[in-house]
Amino acid sequence: EPEVTQTPSHQVTQMGQEVILRCVPISNHLYFYWYRQILGQKVEFLVSFYNNEISEKSEIFDDQFSVERPDGSNFTLKIRSTKLEDSAMYFCASSERQLNTEAFFGQGTRLTVV
Amino acid sequence: AQSVAQPEDQVNVAEGNPLTVKCTYSVSGNPYLFWYVQYPNRGLQFLLKYITGDNLVKGSYGFEAEFNKSQTSFHLKKPSALVSDSALYFCAVRDILSGGYNKLIFGAGTRLAVHP
């Protein structure tokens, strides 16, 4: 069964460093998303991406965040200068279409900023 | 404001008994509703969805959910719980009329514990 894969599963970084979280969405999917879950809190939407551009972003997704689809398979989330409060589980998801279809999620990357 | 509420942090049920995990929502327009399950060290797995049509929807692993528009609820149910159903369950809604139709709004999650 096709699945969304994320690497790495756990990333530890020093405050102020740049991190890139990587995702390989399901191959025939067209819509891509990043969500995050701070420990003990809700899963929160960060950004959606379609046709090589951001289609929607939340207020969390400020200038320190960026997304890219550098080739036909990868979808990345970059955090330019990490802060302690960026520590969270980051989930990538993809869907075939926007409406009527469910999003499939990866297993997550746990980011720890120290 | 759009929101999803899961009023129970944890639900405990004996194996073989029916289970219900509650979810209520508040959105503008017609909601698209989803249930996801998260096992330890795993991502969110899709269980089922309500888009339109029958209020009772059936999903994976024997789960079903009932959409109730008047009560704005979408409770997850299973007639006979298994120990392997123990996991964290998330209700989510996508509001197509707010312009945020890409975005899932999640509840806080309910931990289901099924005891042998």
Side-chain angles (χ1 to χ4, degrees), chain A residues 31 33 35 37 41-45 48 55-56 91 98-108, chain B residues 4 32 34 36 38 41-44 46 49 51 90 94 96 99-104 106-108:
Chain A
Y31 298 87
Y33 315 89
Y35 288 79
Q37 184 181 30
Q41 298 186 24
K42 291 184 180 184
V43 177
E44 303 172 290
F45 170 82
S48 60
S55 50
E56 186 174 1
F91 292 107
Q98 284 192 97
L99 299 180
N100 298 345
T101 57
E102 58 276 17
F104 289 83
F105 284 77
Q107 81 281 14
Chain B
V4 176
Y32 286 6
F34 303 82
Y36 284 85
Q38 185 178 29
N41 300 317
R42 301 285 296 275
L44 299 166
F46 169 75
K49 65 185 177 187
I51 305 299
F90 292 95
R94 181 185 293 151
I96 63 167
Y101 47 82
N102 288 351
K103 182 173 66 178
L104 286 176
F106 282 88

Side-chain angles (χ1 to χ4, degrees), chain B residues 37-56:
Chain B
V37 59
Q38 185 178 29
Y39 296 99
N41 300 317
R42 301 285 296 275
L44 299 166
Q45 294 181 36
F46 169 75
L47 274 180
L48 50 78
K49 65 185 177 187
Y50 172 81
I51 305 299
T52 187
D54 287 343
N55 289 341
L56 185 66

Side-chain angles (χ1 to χ4, degrees), chain B residues 44-97:
Chain B
L44 299 166
Q45 294 181 36
F46 169 75
L47 274 180
L48 50 78
K49 65 185 177 187
Y50 172 81
I51 305 299
T52 187
D54 287 343
N55 289 341
L56 185 66
V57 294
K58 295 188 183 297
S60 306
Y61 312 121
F63 283 93
E64 57 189 29
E66 185 168 12
F67 171 65
N68 187 317
K69 189 171 184 177
S70 62
Q71 296 186 5
T72 62
S73 67
F74 188 56
H75 299 332
L76 182 70
K77 301 182 181 186
K78 187 173 182 181
S80 178
L82 299 172
V83 172
S84 57
D85 292 330
S86 300
L88 190 56
Y89 290 80
F90 292 95
C91 181
V93 64
R94 181 185 293 151
D95 182 356
I96 63 167
L97 291 185

Side-chain angles (χ1 to χ4, degrees), chain A residues 19 25 55 61 73 82 97 99:
Chain A
V19 294
S55 50
F61 194 88
S73 59
T82 50
R97 300 186 304 274
L99 299 180

Side-chain angles (χ1 to χ4, degrees), chain A residues 58-85:
Chain A
S58 72
E59 55 277 5
I60 302 168
F61 194 88
D62 61 21
D63 290 345
Q64 71 160 343
F65 291 92
S66 63
V67 289
E68 194 177 34
R69 190 156 160 81
D71 53 39
S73 59
N74 290 287
F75 179 51
T76 62
L77 174 70
K78 182 192 290 186
I79 309 175
R80 253 178 281 282
S81 178
T82 50
K83 303 190 281 262
L84 294 176
E85 54 265 37

